[in-house]
Amino acid sequence: MNPLRTFFGLFAGVLFGAGLLLSGMTQPSKVAGFLDVTGRWDPSLAFVMGGAVVVFGIGAWLFREREFAILGDVVERAPKPRIDARLIGGSALFGIGWGLSGYCPGPAVASLFSFDTGLLIFLATMAITMVAHDRFLAWRDADG
Amino acid sequence: MPRRETDLAPAHASPAVRKDVEAQPPIPLAPVGPRWHVVRMWISTLLLNAPMAAPTAADAPPVAVGAAVATAQLEAGTSSLGPLLVDTAHFTPWMSLAGGLMIGVSSLMVLWLFGQTAGISGITAAVVRGEGAKSGGWKLGLLVGLVGSGAVAAFAAPELITSSTSSWALLAVAGVCVGLGTRTGGGCTSGHGVCGLGRARPRSAIAVPVFMAFGALTVFALRVLGGGA
C-alpha cells in the first residue's frame, strides 16, 4: 500500500461514484427504462456513456504516445483484438444479467450502503462467481 | 322528456368536476425549525433525478402473460415496435451527461496516473480475490471511494439509490450472469463501454452492442412475461 496511490484511487472512486449517482445509474428502473426500447424509452443513459466516452477518448488520445503513466507505471498496451466466443458469449451473458436486475457492477457496488436485500444477494452471487471464474482459470492454466 | 334529460346532464356533471378540484390537498406550509425537507426537495427537483411521472396503467402488475400482454401494450400505446416512444417524464439528459463526464474524468485519472484501462468489474474482481493492496493499493482505494460516495448518498439523498423490482431469485441469477459474463467477456459497462470504446478497441465495439442487445431483449421478455426489473 502506498498512501499517495491509495488516495488517488480513492479520489477516482468518489468521482466515479458521484457520476453514477448523479446520472441515474443507481436507479435500476432507469436502467430498465433505457434498455426498454420497445416500451417507454428513457434515453438518459446514452448521455452517460456518451459523455464518459468523449472525455475518456480525448484524454486517451492525448496520452497515446506515452510509455509511462504519471506515477511511473508502464502504460498498458491494447490486447490483441481477439473476437471469439468468450467475448461474445460473456457479453451476452452480462447483458442478460444487466437486463434481469438493472445492475451493472459499478452501480451495484456503489449502492452497497443502501443495504437493500435484493442488491446484497446480487452482489454476493456476482462476487462469488467472479472469484470462482478467476480461480478456475488460474487452476486450469497452472495444470495445462 | 328526452330534452329535459339532456338539460339536466351538464348540471349533474359539473359539481362532480368541481368536487375533484376541491379534493386536491392544499399546499402544505413549511413548519418552523430546520427545513431539511425543503433542502432535500430542492436538491431532488433541481439537481437530481426525482421521479416526476404519475403512475399509469402500464405500471400496474400485468394480469395476463406473453403475447396477450404484448398485444395489449401495443394497443394501449405504451409499447411500440416502430418509432421509439421517448419517456420524457423520466428523461434527464443534463444530469446524465454531467454524471457521464465525471465518470469519464475518473476513468481518465486511472489511465493517466496508473497507466491502466480498468473497468469496475475487473477492479472488483481483483479486490475480492484479495489483490486490492497490489500496485500501491489504488484498486482498493477506488472501490472504497465508490462505496463511500454511495454511502453518503444513501443517507443524504436516498432517493438516488432505488431498489430493483426483480425478485430475489432473479437477482441471484442476474448476479451470476453479470459475474461470469463480465469476467469471460473481459469487461462491463465501464471497461468496454467507456474505456474500450474511448480507445476505439475492436473487442469493445463488438461487446457493447452485444450486451446492450441482450439487455434490451431481457427487459422486453420480462415486461411481456411479468416480474420485470
Side-chain angles (χ1 to χ4, degrees), chain A residues 89-133:
Chain A
S91 297
L93 198 59
F94 165 49
I96 292 170
W98 195 29
L100 282 177
S101 60
Y103 290 124
C104 52
V109 170
S111 303
L112 177 67
F113 268 72
S114 69
F115 295 122
D116 178 71
T117 314
L119 171 84
L120 296 178
I121 291 170
F122 174 90
L123 278 175
T125 55
M126 182 185 88
I128 291 168
T129 314
M130 281 177 160
V131 175
H133 169 271

Side-chain angles (χ1 to χ4, degrees), chain A residues 32-44:
Chain A
F34 172 70
L35 292 173
D36 194 6
V37 282
T38 61
R40 290 169 301 159
W41 186 52
D42 179 357
S44 305

Side-chain angles (χ1 to χ4, degrees), chain B residues 129-193:
Chain B
R129 283 199 310 266
E131 295 166 10
K134 279 190 181 173
S135 59
W138 69 266
K139 287 181 180 174
L140 185 62
L142 194 145
L143 215 62
V144 169
L146 188 61
V147 170
S149 62
V152 171
F155 292 103
E159 67 273 17
L160 285 183
I161 304 176
T162 56
S163 308
S164 176
T165 51
S166 297
S167 68
W168 292 352
L170 269 187
L171 286 168
V173 173
V176 172
C177 290
V178 171
L180 188 60
T182 52
R183 295 312 289 154
T184 51
C188 59
T189 10
S190 63
H192 276 312

Side-chain angles (χ1 to χ4, degrees), chain A residues 12 30 38 41 76 100 134, chain B residues 80 87 90 117 129 166 223:
Chain A
K30 214 163 163 57
T38 61
W41 186 52
E76 179 203 54
L100 282 177
D134 292 357
Chain B
S80 159
D87 185 357
H90 292 95
T117 44
R129 283 199 310 266
S166 297
R223 182 156 56 78

Side-chain angles (χ1 to χ4, degrees), chain B residues 57-149:
Chain B
D59 292 322
V63 284
V65 290
V69 174
T71 316
Q73 288 177 349
L74 282 171
E75 280 168 2
T78 55
S79 177
S80 159
L81 297 177
L84 292 162
L85 305 170
V86 173
D87 185 357
T88 46
H90 292 95
F91 187 34
T92 53
W94 299 114
M95 283 304 116
S96 291
L97 185 63
L101 296 177
M102 291 164 81
I103 294 168
V105 171
S106 169
S107 306
L108 203 53
M109 275 184 70
V110 172
L111 175 65
W112 280 13
L113 292 171
F114 311 117
Q116 298 270 309
T117 44
I120 301 299
S121 60
I123 293 172
T124 307
V127 171
V128 178
R129 283 199 310 266
E131 295 166 10
K134 279 190 181 173
S135 59
W138 69 266
K139 287 181 180 174
L140 185 62
L142 194 145
L143 215 62
V144 169
L146 188 61
V147 170
S149 62

